[in-house]
C-alpha cells in the first residue's frame, strides 16, 4: 500500500513537473514555450506562420503580450480534421482567461516552426499560464 | 536570427533553383535574405503613425475619383482603365470571377482559410463572396454584397455577407477577431462608426446568427497576402451545391439583383 502510494505521488510529481516545464507533447506535436514579450504592434499570423499580414496595434490601457512557442511535428503526429485544434488560452495571475486571434491552420504541414500568440490584455497584466489542448505551460518565470 | 529554411528556399525559386547555385551564390543569397528579414523586423518594431479622420478627409480633393468607386470603374494606381473582355451570353459566377472580380486574391484567400479552419460550407461560400461587390461599389459593401448574391445563395451566407461589414469595426476576443491595423490606415485612428453601424451591431449581438458574419470577419483578417497562390477550383463543389446559377445567366434572370450583374458586365455603358 505504502509503495503504491509512493508510486502515485512520484507520478503526480512527475506530471506536475512536466506541466510546469517548457516542453510538452500532445498528439505527436512537441511544444516548447520560448518566452513572453510585450509589443506595441504584433503580427496576427496563423500557426504555422501563414499568409496573414495583418497586425494588432496596442491601444491606450492595453498591452499586447506575445507568447512564443516552438513546435515540432513528431513521427507519431496524427492529422485531425480542420479546425479541431483550438486557439491557445492564456490565463493571468488573477485567473482571467484571454483568447488570441492567432489560429492553428494545418499544424502538421511543416516539420518545425515557431508561432507568436498575441494576447490583448489590460496594461500591467502578467500572464501565468498558457493552455494548448491538454498541455498547460507555466509562464510565471517567463512573463515579468 | 531564426531562418525559416522553407521560406528561404522558396524565395530563391525552390529546391531545383537552389541546386543550380554554387556555395558562394548560396552564401550571398542567405546574406541578402537575412538583411531583408532584419529590415522587416526593424520595420515591424517601429510604431506606425496612423492618419486622423481629418487627414483622410483632406485627401478627398486630391483624387480624380471618389474612394467609394467600384474597382471596375477606376484604373489601377491612377492609370487609365483597360478594355474589359466581354462576358459570355449566359454568364456564370465563374465567368464573373474570371472576367470581373479577378484577381480576387483577397476573397479566395479568405475562403481558403475558412476551409482550412473547418468552417461550414455556408461560411466558406460567404467568405468567397463577401467582398466581390467591391468591383461594383465600396461604401456599405456588406449590404450591397448581400443584395447582389441574395437570390442565389443560402440565407445564412447572405446574412454573413450583409453584416460582416458591421462586425469588422468591433473586436471580439472570444471569437478571435482583432480590430485590424489596416482600418486605422483607411478610416483614421480616431474614427468611430456611424450610428446606423452601432445600431446594427447592437442588433447583431443578440442575434442567433451572430457567429455567421463574425466568422467571415475572423477569416477576413488573414487574407491580404499578394503572393499567396489561390484559385477558385477548390470551391467548385461548394458553389455547385449552394449557388443557384440561373439558366439565363447572371444578369438576365429578372432577379432583384440582375441589374447589378449587368452593370458589372458592362461598366462602360454611359447610361
Amino acid at each position: 500500500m505504502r509503495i503504491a502510494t509512493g508510486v502515485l505521488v512520484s507520478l503526480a510529481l512527475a506530471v506536475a513537473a512536466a506541466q510546469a516545464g517548457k516542453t510538452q507533447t500532445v498528439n505527436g506535436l512537441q511544444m516548447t514555450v520560448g518566452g513572453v514579450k510585450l509589443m506595441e504592434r504584433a503580427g496576427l499570423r496563423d500557426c504555422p506562420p501563414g499568409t496573414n499580414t495583418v497586425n494588432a496595434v496596442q491601444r491606450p490601457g492595453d498591452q499586447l503580450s506575445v507568447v512564443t512557442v516552438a513546435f515540432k511535428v513528431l513521427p507519431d503526429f496524427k492529422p485531425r480534421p480542420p479546425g479541431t485544434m483550438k486557439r491557445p488560452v492564456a490565463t493571468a495571475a488573477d485567473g482571467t482567461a484571454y483568447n488570441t486571434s492567432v489560429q492553428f491552420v494545418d499544424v502538421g504541414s511543416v516539420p518545425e516552426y515557431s508561432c507568436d500568440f498575441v494576447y490583448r490584455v489590460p496594461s500591467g497584466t502578467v500572464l501565468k499560464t498558457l493552455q494548448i489542448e491538454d498541455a498547460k505551460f507555466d509562464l510565471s518565470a517567463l512573463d515579468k | 536570427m531564426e531562418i525559416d529554411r522553407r521560406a528561404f528556399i522558396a524565395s530563391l525559386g525552390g529546391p531545383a533553383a537552389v541546386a543550380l547555385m554554387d556555395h558562394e551564390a548560396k552564401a550571398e543569397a542567405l546574406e541578402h535574405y537575412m538583411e531583408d528579414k532584419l529590415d522587416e523586423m526593424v520595420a515591424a518594431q517601429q510604431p506606425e503613425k496612423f492618419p486622423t479622420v481629418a487627414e483622410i478627409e483632406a485627401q478627398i480633393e486630391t483624387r480624380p475619383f471618389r474612394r467609394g468607386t467600384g474597382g471596375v470603374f477606376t484604373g489601377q494606381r491612377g492609370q487609365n482603365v483597360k478594355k474589359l473582355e466581354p462576358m459570355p451570353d449566359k454568364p456564370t459566377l465563374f465567368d464573373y470571377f474570371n472576367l470581373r472580380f479577378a484577381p480576387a486574391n483577397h476573397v479566395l484567400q479568405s475562403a481558403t482559410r475558412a476551409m482550412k479552419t473547418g468552417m461550414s460550407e455556408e461560411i466558406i461560400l460567404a467568405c468567397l463572396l463577401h467582398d466581390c461587390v467591391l468591383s461594383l461599389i465600396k461604401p456599405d459593401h456588406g449590404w450591397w454584397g448581400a443584395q447582389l448574391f441574395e437570390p442565389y445563395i443560402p440565407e445564412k451566407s447572405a446574412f454573413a455577407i450583409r453584416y460582416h461589414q458591421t462586425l469588422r469595426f468591433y473586436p471580439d476576443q472570444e471569437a478571435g477577431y482583432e480590430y485590424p491595423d489596416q482600418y486605422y490606415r483607411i478610416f483614421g485612428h480616431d474614427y468611430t462608426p456611424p450610428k446606423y453601424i452601432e445600431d446594427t451591431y447592437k442588433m447583431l449581438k443578440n442575434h442567433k446568427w451572430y457567429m455567421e458574419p463574425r466568422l467571415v470577419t475572423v477569416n477576413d483578417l488573414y487574407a491580404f497576402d499578394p503572393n499567396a497562390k489561390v484559385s477558385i477550383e477548390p470551391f467548385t463543389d461548394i458553389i455547385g451545391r449552394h449557388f443557384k446559377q440561373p439558366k439565363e445567366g447572371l444578369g438576365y434572370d429578372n432577379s432583384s439583383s440582375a441589374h447589378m450583374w449587368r452593370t458589372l458586365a458592362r461598366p462602360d455603358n454611359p447610361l
Side-chain angles (χ1 to χ4, degrees):
Chain A
M1 181 68 179
R2 190 173 284 177
I3 294 169
T5 308
V7 169
L8 280 176
V9 168
S10 301
L11 270 174
L13 285 174
V15 169
Q19 285 179 343
K22 288 204 263 175
T23 298
Q24 294 185 52
T25 301
V26 173
N27 183 36
L29 192 62
Q30 188 186 81
M31 300 173 272
T32 306
V33 176
V36 183
K37 59 195 170 200
L38 298 183
M39 296 182 79
E40 285 186 13
R41 190 163 167 248
L44 301 172
R45 303 181 79 191
D46 290 332
C47 183
T51 56
N52 173 44
T53 54
V54 176
N55 301 294
V57 179
Q58 187 183 351
R59 289 190 306 240
D62 284 354
Q63 68 184 34
L64 298 175
S65 295
V66 182
V67 185
T68 304
V69 182
F71 292 86
K72 188 172 182 183
V73 181
L74 302 177
D76 60 338
F77 172 79
K78 291 183 188 70
R80 291 188 288 166
T84 308
M85 199 160 168
K86 303 293 175 214
R87 286 173 287 125
V89 176
T91 309
D94 66 358
T96 309
Y98 295 97
N99 293 301
T100 178
S101 296
V102 177
Q103 192 152 4
F104 290 109
V105 179
D106 282 349
V107 287
S109 61
V110 187
E112 281 188 60
Y113 48 92
S114 174
C115 299
D116 284 343
F117 297 104
V118 182
Y119 295 91
R120 183 182 293 282
V121 298
S123 295
T125 300
V126 174
L127 296 181
K128 193 180 172 193
T129 64
L130 180 76
Q131 178 104 32
I132 306 178
E133 300 284 282
D134 295 333
K136 195 170 188 178
F137 297 91
D138 186 353
L139 304 178
S140 308
L142 301 168
D143 190 10
K144 292 191 169 164
Chain B
M1 184 196 300
E2 202 173 306
I3 297 289
D4 182 340
R5 196 165 172 270
R6 280 166 57 109
F8 171 58
I9 292 172
S11 76
L12 298 177
V18 174
L20 296 172
M21 298 167 76
D22 60 27
H23 290 304
E24 200 175 326
K26 281 179 197 167
E28 203 172 314
L30 181 61
E31 196 181 328
H32 284 307
Y33 183 80
M34 288 174 75
E35 279 170 7
D36 289 348
K37 286 287 150 195
L38 191 61
D39 287 347
E40 279 176 25
M41 285 163 71
V42 170
Q45 295 299 318
Q46 302 299 319
E48 183 178 349
K49 191 185 173 302
F50 297 109
T52 62
V53 170
E55 285 168 344
I56 287 173
E57 265 190 35
Q59 293 170 6
I60 290 174
E61 293 189 356
T62 67
R63 293 187 205 96
F65 58 90
R66 296 200 184 276
R67 282 211 300 173
T69 312
V72 293
F73 298 103
T74 56
Q76 294 285 312
R77 298 180 193 88
Q79 294 176 341
N80 286 349
V81 293
K82 296 209 162 33
K83 197 167 180 184
L84 289 166
E85 268 191 64
M87 298 293 291
D89 290 343
K90 295 178 179 178
T92 65
L93 181 63
F94 291 92
D95 293 321
Y96 277 96
F97 258 89
N98 292 331
L99 301 172
R100 293 297 181 269
F101 304 148
N105 263 342
H106 169 60
V107 289
L108 290 170
Q109 285 181 46
S110 176
T112 301
R113 188 175 186 280
M115 199 178 246
K116 284 184 178 176
T117 53
M119 299 288 116
S120 69
E121 292 199 344
E122 285 95 339
I123 294 302
I124 295 170
L125 183 67
C127 288
L128 181 67
L129 306 176
H130 77 281
D131 275 351
C132 287
V133 82
L134 295 181
S135 293
L136 181 68
I137 190 165
K138 289 177 181 167
D140 270 332
H141 73 287
W143 276 272
W144 281 98
Q147 188 181 347
L148 178 69
F149 291 112
E150 212 150 31
Y152 315 105
I153 62 176
E155 196 181 349
K156 270 188 186 172
S157 303
F159 186 91
I161 293 170
R162 176 168 287 115
Y163 295 118
H164 87 276
Q165 176 198 335
T166 298
L167 293 189
R168 285 284 260 150
F169 293 107
Y170 299 93
D172 181 339
Q173 202 182 47
E174 204 171 320
Y177 177 73
E178 177 70 57
Y179 189 86
D181 58 343
Q182 189 208 21
Y183 272 30
Y184 288 116
R185 272 180 222 115
I186 63 175
F187 287 102
H189 69 77
D190 50 345
Y191 178 80
T192 49
K195 187 174 180 303
Y196 77 94
I197 292 285
E198 271 180 44
D199 291 344
T200 303
Y201 177 56
K202 282 180 197 153
M203 176 278 287
L204 287 171
K205 274 200 297 189
N206 298 313
H207 199 286
K208 63 180 177 180
W209 284 358
Y210 169 81
M211 281 311 288
E212 313 303 318
R214 177 50 81 201
L215 289 172
V216 173
T217 67
V218 167
N219 288 288
D220 204 356
L221 254 181
Y222 295 83
F224 291 91
D225 182 355
N227 301 315
K229 300 263 186 295
V230 282
S231 94
I232 198 166
E233 295 310 318
F235 308 104
T236 305
D237 289 348
I238 290 178
I239 292 170
R241 278 192 287 275
H242 297 285
F243 191 91
K244 287 179 260 175
Q245 171 66 40
K247 62 180 187 309
E248 304 88 342
L250 287 165
Y252 308 101
D253 57 338
N254 205 26
S255 78
S256 55
S257 65
H259 61 291
M260 296 166 75
W261 291 99
R262 292 196 302 269
T263 304
L264 277 165
R266 296 189 188 83
D268 290 302
N269 278 9
L271 291 172

